Amino acid sequence: MIFGRRTAKSLENADLAPTIEGRSLWADARIRFFRNRAAVAGLVVLILVALFAAFGAYVAPWSNEEVDWSVLGQVDTMGRPSLASGHYFGTDELGRDLFARTVQGTQISLMVGLIAAFIAVIVGTIYGATAGYYGGRIDNFMMRLVDVFMSVPYMFVLILLLVIFGRSILMLFVGIGLISWLDMARIARGQTLSIKNKEFVEAAHAIGVRPSTIIRRHIVPNLLGVVIVYATLLVPNMIIYESFISFLGLGVQEPNTSWGALISEGASQLQYGTLWMLLFPLFFFVITLFAFFFVGDGLRDALDPKDR
């Protein structure tokens, strides 16, 4: 009887003991990511750059198109950065406020990079997942088509599109995004080949689920880890492409501007001693690229720690 009471009491105490809660894979990845100091620092820098792009125009005393006639033609002396004049980054060769133009350049460069990367990720993921799931002749035809596209010089095609259809931000989105999906397609196809033989995919196929539904509900969600990592590494590449095209004068046109256009203008004015015209846009360009690379490396280590 005593033994029975002790057993019941011990069972009662066991029920009151705290239960151990498990963590999901995404929770573990988040913990690993925030332990990476370089990745966290990169994330903070990206947040600050985004805030600068979003609210910088409200801080600038001058607009990006307004000309300060008092410094026009005297950029080397009166156009230097000054809090008193309201030109925090100085002025350009036309007397326009460089702070406001850097804000606008940050907005356009980030917008081109993010939207072009989004287009590339969506098109490449769907294309690669479809090719990898169907396999056989369909996979062979689709991937040979990718090989043909990859053999075409990328910059030549982009410059050709801008010359034929006009220099506009829309053509930058279309030209950069629809050509840069090729690498994403190969990555998605390789991952799909290893996923399509899993038990949950075979079970869905056995009960008669349509291939398009399997790709949408089972294949693509399991590619999210790879897609997120590649997207963070793709955005800086898109920004570099846009900046290079704008540096050549084929990208964003006046009165709009971007980091590449500002860097080109600053480099052309170095002979007059206006170093600030180059340093400020170049600073934002460099720190943003490094921040994206650090965040991408941190996500890769967090989502797949075995590859470190």
Side-chain angles (χ1 to χ4, degrees), residues 50-301:
L51 291 176
F52 174 78
F55 302 105
Y58 299 101
V59 180
W62 300 79
S63 69
N64 59 297
E65 298 182 13
E66 189 176 0
V67 176
D68 187 356
W69 298 100
S70 64
V71 301
L72 189 63
Q74 306 180 45
V75 179
D76 57 334
T77 57
M78 298 182 64
R80 294 178 179 177
S82 172
L83 295 178
S85 63
H87 299 300
Y88 305 140
F89 291 176
T91 60
D92 62 5
E93 72 277 8
L94 298 179
R96 296 173 296 185
D97 184 56
L98 189 59
F99 180 88
R101 288 180 61 78
T102 303
V103 171
Q104 185 191 37
T106 304
Q107 294 172 347
I108 293 181
S109 292
L110 288 179
M111 183 172 60
V112 171
L114 292 173
I115 295 180
F118 178 77
I119 296 174
V121 166
I122 295 297
V123 175
T125 301
I126 296 176
Y127 190 94
T130 303
Y133 178 78
Y134 283 101
R137 294 182 178 179
I138 296 178
D139 178 33
N140 191 34
F141 173 77
M142 294 178 70
M143 298 316 295
R144 295 298 75 77
L145 197 61
V146 169
D147 294 338
V148 171
F149 288 150
M150 294 189 73
S151 65
V152 179
Y154 173 77
M155 279 298 173
F156 174 77
V157 174
L158 181 56
I159 293 174
L160 190 63
L161 288 175
L162 292 172
V163 171
I164 294 176
F165 297 101
R167 307 169 187 177
S168 64
I169 299 178
L170 178 61
M171 282 310 304
L172 280 176
F173 291 154
V174 176
I176 296 177
L178 291 183
I179 298 176
S180 57
W181 59 271
L182 303 174
D183 289 333
M184 186 69 247
R186 299 183 108 182
I187 295 173
R189 182 249 184 188
Q191 293 293 319
T192 303
L193 290 176
S194 62
I195 293 175
K196 73 175 185 177
N197 295 322
K198 299 291 185 180
E199 291 79 3
F200 60 91
V201 177
E202 294 180 352
H205 179 72
I207 63 177
V209 180
R210 291 183 301 177
S212 59
T213 304
I214 294 177
I215 294 174
R216 187 178 70 253
R217 292 186 177 181
H218 299 288
I219 301 296
V220 173
N222 284 278
L223 297 177
L224 284 180
V226 177
V227 169
I228 291 174
V229 173
Y230 185 75
T232 57
L233 299 176
L234 188 62
V235 172
N237 290 333
M238 299 298 98
I239 294 176
I240 291 174
Y241 293 148
E242 182 277 327
S243 299
F244 177 73
I245 293 297
S246 297
F247 186 86
L248 296 178
L250 298 174
V252 179
Q253 301 298 308
E254 294 287 351
N256 297 320
T257 189
S258 68
W259 283 335
L262 290 174
I263 292 172
S264 177
E265 295 172 3
S268 65
Q269 297 295 318
L270 280 178
Q271 57 182 329
Y272 303 111
T274 56
L275 187 61
W276 63 86
M277 289 182 58
L278 175 64
L279 288 183
F280 285 111
L282 185 62
F283 170 76
F284 282 93
F285 176 74
V286 171
I287 65 169
T288 302
L289 293 185
F290 274 103
F292 270 113
F293 288 136
F294 286 148
V295 170
D297 289 340
L299 287 174
R300 182 191 59 197
D301 295 341

